[in-house]
Amino acid sequence: MAGTTRTDIEMNRSFGVGAAALLATLMLGSGCSKRVESESQTSSVAGSVADYYPLAVGNSWTYRLNGREDKLVTVEILKQEEGFFHDNQGGQLAVDAYGLRDPKRYLLRGPLETGHSWTNVVSVSSTERYRIVQAGSACDTPAGTFPSCVQVEGRNRVDARDTLVNAWTFAPGVGMVRMEIFLETANQRRILQTQLELTAYQVGGSRAPGASTPPAG
């Protein structure tokens, strides 16, 4: 795997969903292959954006980093302030009439259907392009298999040759169940930089303590 540069670290931080702000301080291990399998040819899903990232004080999610059981990251919502829910990793998220957002960008916007895209201009020199690459698929994680997921990709150019690609998978009633960060080269080869997979969660009183317990819903 290619070494992580300062540019990679800054880009990783820029996309932050909760634990993303922490990733730059953790050792990047070897990449694991993505295990998202399509349940059907469904191109859209029912429900609202809010269903795909439940925000409430006390909700928490634990992820393993790069397939390593000894590298766990727990994201817990600690408070709500000025319209945003703040977590223990420095993340800030809110859901409004347009979608799920942090202070700079929309991470998920409706309609929740394959191919839907949007753009976030986060600074005068940085434009991020987002697209729902799959709606209605199943995602297999250590916490269980989640149906009717929405997978989103965010893209931002690093330089003339390379693009940083963030891929998130959201499950209804649960939140983010997987995140992968790739460096895409000029020949469209993707090099996995970081992967987070859900191992346990507690959302609104629903708890999944580990892989042996199937997810609610």
Side-chain angles (χ1 to χ4, degrees):
M1 178 180 296
T4 302
T5 67
R6 182 174 180 179
T7 299
D8 296 332
I9 292 173
E10 290 174 352
M11 294 296 294
N12 288 354
R13 289 180 180 272
S14 77
F15 277 101
V17 176
L22 181 65
L23 295 181
T25 65
L26 300 175
M27 181 183 298
L28 299 181
S30 59
C32 300
S33 60
K34 186 166 55 176
R35 299 175 311 189
V36 177
E37 300 177 357
S38 177
E39 266 189 335
S40 66
Q41 297 301 313
T42 304
S43 61
S44 63
V45 293
S48 67
V49 170
D51 296 330
Y52 281 78
Y53 209 109
L55 293 173
V57 174
N59 286 357
S60 66
W61 303 264
T62 297
Y63 304 92
R64 71 179 184 186
L65 177 66
N66 296 328
R68 295 182 55 173
E69 301 297 339
D70 62 333
K71 291 286 187 180
L72 299 180
V73 178
T74 296
V75 180
E76 180 180 0
I77 298 178
L78 302 179
K79 63 180 180 179
Q80 183 180 14
E81 188 175 274
E82 297 181 352
F84 285 92
F85 287 89
H86 297 245
D87 64 44
N88 63 325
Q89 304 296 344
Q92 299 179 39
L93 291 175
V95 174
D96 61 21
Y98 297 100
L100 173 71
R101 59 168 299 178
D102 67 15
K104 291 186 176 181
R105 60 183 61 77
Y106 282 95
L107 303 165
L108 181 61
R109 291 188 66 161
L112 299 178
E113 59 185 28
T114 301
H116 177 57
S117 62
W118 62 97
T119 299
N120 293 303
V121 179
V122 297
S123 72
V124 294
S125 60
S126 180
T127 299
E128 300 171 357
R129 292 174 172 81
Y130 290 71
R131 183 170 70 95
I132 296 177
V133 297
Q134 181 66 54
S137 62
C139 183
D140 178 30
T141 75
T145 298
F146 299 88
S148 302
C149 292
V150 173
Q151 183 181 347
V152 178
E153 282 190 359
R155 303 173 61 86
N156 195 323
R157 295 295 296 269
V158 176
D159 52 36
R161 297 182 308 163
D162 299 329
T163 299
L164 194 73
V165 180
N166 272 32
W168 297 282
T169 302
F170 301 97
V174 178
M176 189 185 79
V177 297
R178 183 192 300 276
M179 182 179 77
E180 293 168 309
I181 300 174
F182 300 91
L183 187 67
E184 186 177 275
T185 62
N187 61 3
Q188 297 187 326
R189 177 173 176 246
R190 287 191 174 187
I191 303 169
L192 183 62
Q193 304 293 297
T194 308
Q195 181 187 67
L196 291 176
E197 297 174 288
L198 188 69
T199 62
Y201 66 94
Q202 182 174 359
V203 174
S206 176
R207 178 191 296 267
S212 61
T213 300

